[in-house]
């Protein structure tokens, strides 16, 4: 049972364009949603994260939006650069016994063409 | 910045053999995690630990054991390796705090023949 669904599986954008990645989840106890960026041959690196008490968090060219009612989140990358080409994972964790246990989406492979 | 190292980086094992993957973190984080990454599955949690001496089962623990002998070290043990355990394994550490940010190591590529 996949608890975190991520789309699209892959995406190609032109340099300077805006990238939008989306995730949906099922478990209403999830309250922490990080996005990870992974380059080939490396481990995932935390890119940006948001708590369920917020609906938007911005960090430079990266913004994540959270919609609690629809159980959806998204990652927007403005002015996309070739160096942003990587695999992006959304993840989620909840409070209580599940705190710290991340459930990951399957990832989106992003290619930014110059 | 968080420092998580893994060894070995690459490993070839035979079916039925014992494999031990090691992880070391210098962040003094209480929590440590083992994931495996397979194409089409993202990262899946195998075992995790809240501190030295503790291990907990994750979402896919079958065929794996874990050991946390110290704050810094967390091992993943495959007692009887099978080809289905061919994968890339990632270790991560994290501190109990609001958000539970996790920091990942570079991964170990394991091939079981």
């Amino acid at each position: 049972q996949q608890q975190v669904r991520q789309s699209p599986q892959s995406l190609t954008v032109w340099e300077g364009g805006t990238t939008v990645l989306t995730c949906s989840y099922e478990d209403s106890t999830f309250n922490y949603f990080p996005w990870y960026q992974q380059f080939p041959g490396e481990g995932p690196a935390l890119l940006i994260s948001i708590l369920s008490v917020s609906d938007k968090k911005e960090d430079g060219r990266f913004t994540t939006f959270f919609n609690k009612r629809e159980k959806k989140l998204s990652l927007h990358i403005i002015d996309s650069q070739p160096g942003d080409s990587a695999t992006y994972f959304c993840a989620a964790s909840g409070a209580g016994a599940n705190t710290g246990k991340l459930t990951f989406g399957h990832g989106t492979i992003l290619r930014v063409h110059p | 910045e968080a420092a998580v190292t893994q060894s070995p980086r690459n490993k070839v094992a035979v079916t039925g053999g014992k494999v031990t993957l090691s992880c070391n973190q210098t962040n003094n984080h209480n929590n440590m995690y083992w994931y495996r990454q397979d194409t089409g599955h993202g990262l899946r949690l195998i075992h995790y630990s809240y501190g030295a001496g503790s291990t907990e089962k994750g979402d896919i623990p079958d065929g794996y054991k874990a050991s946390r002998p110290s704050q810094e070290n967390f091992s993943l043990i495959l007692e009887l390796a099978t080809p289905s355990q061919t994968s890339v394994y990632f270790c991560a550490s994290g501190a109990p705090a609001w958000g539970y940010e996790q920091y990942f190591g570079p991964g170990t590529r394991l091939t079981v023949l």
Side-chain angles (χ1 to χ4, degrees):
Chain A
Q1 178 186 2
Q2 183 185 356
Q3 295 192 54
V4 178
R5 298 180 186 276
Q6 189 169 348
S7 63
Q9 285 188 313
S10 64
L11 179 64
T12 300
V13 301
W14 292 104
E15 182 175 359
T18 297
T19 297
V20 180
L21 312 179
T22 62
C23 281
S24 63
Y25 64 97
E26 299 167 7
D27 191 334
S28 59
T29 67
F30 286 157
N31 61 0
Y32 168 64
F33 304 90
W35 287 90
Y36 281 85
Q37 179 187 57
Q38 185 180 31
F39 295 106
E42 299 182 6
L46 181 65
L47 185 64
I48 191 170
S49 64
I50 191 166
L51 299 172
S52 60
V53 295
S54 302
D55 56 13
K56 177 183 176 181
K57 187 172 181 181
E58 196 172 336
D59 185 357
R61 296 186 294 110
F62 301 89
T63 302
T64 184
F65 296 90
F66 177 69
N67 185 319
K68 188 172 185 176
R69 182 179 60 83
E70 295 186 6
K71 295 183 181 176
K72 290 183 178 179
L73 59 154
S74 62
L75 176 68
H76 293 232
I77 308 173
I78 63 171
D79 189 24
S80 300
Q81 299 295 309
D84 296 331
S85 297
T87 300
Y88 292 80
F89 294 95
C90 64
S93 71
N98 290 321
T99 301
K101 288 179 59 179
L102 286 175
T103 299
F104 282 82
H106 288 179
T108 296
I109 300 172
L110 172 65
R111 297 183 182 88
V112 181
H113 283 308
Chain B
E1 173 140 351
V4 180
T5 57
Q6 296 181 231
S7 63
R9 294 294 314 278
N10 290 280
K11 174 74 176 178
V12 178
V14 295
T15 298
K18 181 177 181 178
V19 177
T20 300
L21 307 182
S22 299
C23 179
N24 177 274
Q25 56 105 354
T26 59
N27 312 310
N28 198 32
H29 286 162
N30 286 347
N31 295 2
M32 295 187 75
Y33 309 84
W34 276 107
Y35 296 88
R36 63 178 284 175
Q37 183 175 33
D38 303 286
T39 302
H41 287 280
L43 290 99
R44 293 179 290 174
L45 182 63
I46 306 170
H47 283 288
Y48 61 103
S49 168
Y50 289 130
S54 93
T55 60
E56 306 287 339
K57 293 181 179 179
D59 299 322
I60 53 165
D62 292 346
Y64 302 94
K65 292 183 179 179
S67 174
R68 181 87 181 272
S70 65
Q71 178 82 337
E72 297 79 19
N73 295 294
F74 190 36
S75 297
L76 185 68
I77 303 153
L78 291 66
E79 295 279 2
L80 295 170
T82 68
S84 66
Q85 293 175 313
T86 293
S87 186
V88 181
Y89 292 85
F90 289 99
C91 175
S93 74
W98 190 246
Y100 278 86
E101 295 182 359
Q102 293 186 21
Y103 298 89
F104 284 79
T108 293
R109 181 172 296 277
L110 173 65
T111 302
V112 182
L113 302 175

